[in-house]
Amino acid sequence: MNKVLFNFHDLVLMMTALQCLLFAVLLVVTNTYKFTSTYFLAAFLLAHTFIPLNEMSLWGEAFKFTARAHWPTMYFFGGYAYYLDALLLYFCVKSLLFRDFQLRWRDLWHLLPLCVYALFMWQVYYRLSFAQRLWLIDSETFVYSASYIVADVACKWLRVGYIVACLVILARYKKLLKSTHSNIEKVETHWITVVVIGFGGVMSLELLLSLAKMMSLLENPNVQIFETLGLIGYYALFILVNLLVYTGIRHFASFTSVGKKPPINATLSDQLLNPELARAIDQKMRDDKLYRPTDITLDHLADALDVSSRDLSMIINRHFSVNFYEFINRYRVAEAQQLLRSSEKRDRTITDIYLAVGFNSKSVFNTFFKKIVGVTPSQYRKEGDGAGSKVRP
């Protein structure tokens, strides 16, 4: 008699596992430039190959009985991936954002929870006889035991913690980006933020499921809640894996990374503390209009001024009290004011003007202009010289 091995939910899990495996292999094979972030992404996907299989083995309507009958010694093996996936995503994001990222010996501490879990599983499960282990999985006594559920909750909290860490370094990256780039709008960070928040949502949902199981220790379990939360997580994970691979292939190779520390020299020389040098830089910026290139960076400007990037960054922060992003765009706004007031430029549109001075986004231009001048560019043009005084960065 034919017996159904998979239901539809199991098929979604199976497709997720297969996709993760295939995409992981694809990323490794096509990683021509040996990007570290791509290897971490592949490892993250590989971890997610085991997670759906583990879910099927534990909760699959029919597959769990097949797993118990044929692979009892491998039972719970996929659970170790829960201690690696969020960690690998964290390192993936970190290596993508910071070009000077490198693994250090101290990073081995991140594996401590995995080792603790391995010792826990050895103590409560693997050291038992085969017959005892078989009884634990057949009766599902172990997966609903207090020790296993507490360990599961701790694991799920750990994963959410890594998601929070990813969001923290994303915020730090955006701040550092303003220290080296004049047009940060071209750097697309929304996709990686969406991916991190998406996986954070799935992991938070799984944490909620684990907490519900913990509450069930105190009262009769509501199996329907468990099934609903679990199924939502399965389908969300399937969608996120596809989104992650699509964005990873599209953006990883061309992503703009920064240094983990602001390019400011720790030892300040007397020359760099001399206001005369700052005035000379200011004059050269105005005379040569070095701020006009749309994609000018700290390194490019430092070359044009014949100073080091670290020294220039220190001067901008120390003498002008702004970051590089604001430093460049203040000069652009100052020239835009001149052009908007000029009777000879009355036929030029505001778009022509903001593009001419180096902006590549109307919204950014309007925001900066209003922040510095106090009115919008169109209002400033209508009101004439009385709208505000000339801005000096």
Side-chain angles (χ1 to χ4, degrees):
M1 181 178 178
N2 294 330
K3 186 171 67 173
V4 176
L5 181 59
F6 304 110
N7 61 21
F8 184 76
H9 307 312
D10 294 337
L11 287 176
V12 171
L13 289 172
M14 182 63 74
M15 285 191 295
T16 303
L18 288 175
Q19 278 187 317
C20 289
L21 178 60
L22 291 174
F23 287 142
V25 173
L26 178 65
L27 286 171
V28 172
V29 172
T30 59
N31 190 15
T32 308
Y33 296 101
K34 310 296 182 184
F35 292 117
T36 304
S37 57
T38 303
Y39 286 125
F40 277 120
L41 175 59
F44 172 77
L45 289 171
L46 186 60
H48 271 276
T49 301
F50 292 99
I51 287 176
L53 296 177
N54 183 69
E55 290 297 310
M56 288 173 57
S57 299
L58 293 180
W59 316 113
E61 185 174 350
F63 184 80
K64 63 182 180 182
F65 299 110
T66 302
R68 293 169 188 175
H70 294 85
W71 309 292
T73 57
M74 300 295 291
Y75 218 69
F76 299 114
F77 180 77
Y80 291 94
Y82 282 109
Y83 288 84
L84 294 173
D85 67 328
L87 169 61
L88 291 169
L89 181 62
Y90 169 74
F91 280 128
C92 176
V93 172
K94 197 171 184 180
S95 59
L96 177 69
L97 300 182
F98 304 117
R99 60 173 174 266
D100 48 357
F101 167 83
Q102 58 181 356
L103 286 173
R104 304 180 185 275
W105 285 107
R106 64 188 180 194
D107 291 323
L108 289 174
W109 284 105
H110 289 282
L111 297 178
L112 182 60
L114 176 65
C115 296
V116 171
Y117 177 69
L119 289 174
F120 163 75
M121 290 299 294
W122 170 258
Q123 179 66 27
V124 300
Y125 181 75
Y126 288 111
R127 73 180 183 89
L128 303 179
S129 67
F130 179 79
Q132 288 175 306
R133 281 181 282 156
L134 199 58
W135 179 81
L136 286 176
I137 60 178
D138 282 336
S139 64
E140 297 187 354
T141 302
F142 180 57
V143 292
Y144 284 110
S145 65
S147 60
Y148 183 83
I149 291 177
V150 169
D152 187 54
V153 169
C155 172
K156 302 303 167 56
W157 271 116
L158 178 68
R159 297 168 82 210
V160 172
Y162 275 113
I163 294 298
V164 173
C166 287
L167 295 175
V168 169
I169 62 175
L170 270 167
R172 181 185 174 198
Y173 165 80
K174 292 175 183 179
K175 182 178 180 180
L176 289 174
L177 195 63
K178 291 183 178 181
S179 300
T180 56
H181 289 70
S182 61
N183 280 319
I184 63 174
E185 296 74 28
K186 63 171 290 187
V187 182
E188 298 182 17
T189 58
H190 297 298
W191 63 273
I192 187 64
T193 304
V194 169
V195 167
V196 170
I197 292 176
F199 276 102
V202 172
M203 293 176 185
S204 297
L205 191 65
E206 293 173 347
L207 171 60
L208 185 61
L209 175 59
S210 296
L211 290 173
K213 290 179 180 178
M214 177 177 283
M215 293 300 296
S216 72
L217 296 175
L218 305 177
E219 56 188 32
N220 293 328
N222 189 333
V223 178
Q224 185 61 42
I225 293 179
F226 298 165
E227 292 180 353
T228 301
L229 293 175
L231 291 177
I232 293 174
Y234 295 164
Y235 288 97
L237 181 61
F238 178 75
I239 295 171
L240 281 169
V241 165
N242 285 275
L243 175 64
L244 175 61
V245 172
Y246 170 74
T247 55
I249 292 174
R250 182 182 177 188
H251 295 288
F252 266 47
S254 59
F255 194 80
T256 302
S257 58
V258 298
K260 284 189 287 186
K261 295 181 179 180
I264 300 176
N265 206 340
T267 57
L268 307 177
S269 66
D270 292 338
Q271 181 188 18
L272 295 178
L273 290 172
N274 188 346
E276 291 298 325
L277 179 59
R279 282 194 286 270
I281 289 176
D282 175 65
Q283 193 62 49
K284 192 169 180 62
M285 290 290 295
R286 297 176 187 281
D287 294 344
D288 297 346
K289 301 188 185 302
L290 299 178
Y291 50 85
R292 279 189 168 184
T294 302
D295 297 327
I296 189 169
T297 64
L298 179 70
D299 292 337
H300 294 153
L301 182 60
D303 290 340
L305 294 171
D306 196 26
V307 296
S308 71
S309 298
R310 284 180 171 272
D311 291 348
L312 178 59
S313 182
M314 190 282 300
I315 292 171
I316 291 172
N317 281 268
R318 176 60 62 89
H319 292 283
F320 296 93
S321 301
V322 293
N323 55 43
F324 179 76
Y325 178 69
E326 294 172 325
F327 175 75
I328 292 295
N329 287 325
R330 283 191 176 190
Y331 284 103
R332 292 171 174 171
V333 168
E335 185 182 1
Q337 283 185 262
Q338 295 174 2
L339 296 177
L340 288 168
R341 287 196 301 264
S342 174
S343 57
E344 299 176 359
K345 306 296 182 181
R346 282 291 175 181
D347 59 330
R348 299 186 67 176
T349 65
I350 292 179
T351 300
D352 291 334
I353 290 175
Y354 80 68
L355 290 175
V357 300
F359 284 101
N360 65 355
S361 168
K362 183 178 181 179
S363 62
V364 174
F365 171 63
N366 287 336
T367 300
F368 250 102
F369 195 96
K370 187 171 184 180
K371 176 182 177 182
I372 295 174
V373 183
V375 294
T376 65
S378 57
Q379 290 173 328
Y380 184 79
R381 169 172 265 181
K382 288 178 182 178
E383 295 173 4
D385 293 344
S389 60
K390 183 178 178 181
V391 173
R392 292 190 63 83

